[in-house]
Amino acid sequence: MTKATINLTGSLVVEEIDFFLAAYPEGHPYRAALSHPEQRRKLVSWVLSRVPNRYALLQDSQGRPIYPDFQSASLEKRLKVEEIIKTGIEEILAKR
């Protein structure tokens, strides 16, 4: 059976970035800057380097990885990640 190690926190960070950016109208500087894949990758990496990461080793009966959703993340953790995302966006935009 094949096993996979996945970063569960990465899923949360991507989800929270999408949610955060959806709150801004089209054309907003945050949305415009992060519409570029490289800038988005920088933000994800920036945030992941500043929060505790949680990993899982997952597989199904045929050895395929199973990717759970991250609904189990506490509100406190989601708010902390959102705060770090805001700071990260400002940092990344300042370096452009």
Side-chain angles (χ1 to χ4, degrees):
M1 283 188 188
T2 304
K3 298 176 182 175
T5 302
I6 61 169
N7 183 331
L8 298 174
T9 309
S11 299
L12 170 67
V13 168
V14 170
E15 181 182 312
E16 288 298 320
I17 289 171
D18 291 342
F19 182 74
F20 179 81
L21 293 175
Y24 291 94
E26 281 294 323
H28 188 279
Y30 287 175
R31 286 185 75 170
L34 295 169
S35 66
H36 302 287
E38 182 60 29
Q39 294 298 329
R40 188 174 281 250
R41 275 192 293 276
K42 284 181 184 179
L43 178 60
V44 170
S45 295
W46 194 93
V47 173
L48 285 174
S49 70
R50 287 160 176 80
V51 297
N53 284 256
R54 194 171 112 192
Y55 296 87
L57 179 62
L58 303 172
Q59 65 187 28
D60 68 8
S61 61
Q62 296 176 347
R64 295 180 301 219
I66 301 169
Y67 299 99
D69 64 21
F70 207 82
Q71 298 301 319
S72 62
S74 69
L75 178 59
E76 179 182 356
K77 182 165 186 163
R78 287 182 176 274
L79 291 173
K80 180 66 175 171
V81 167
E82 184 178 321
E83 177 184 317
I84 293 169
I85 288 168
K86 289 177 189 175
T87 304
I89 290 172
E90 292 169 6
E91 289 272 330
I92 288 169
L93 289 178
K95 292 179 181 179
R96 287 180 66 194

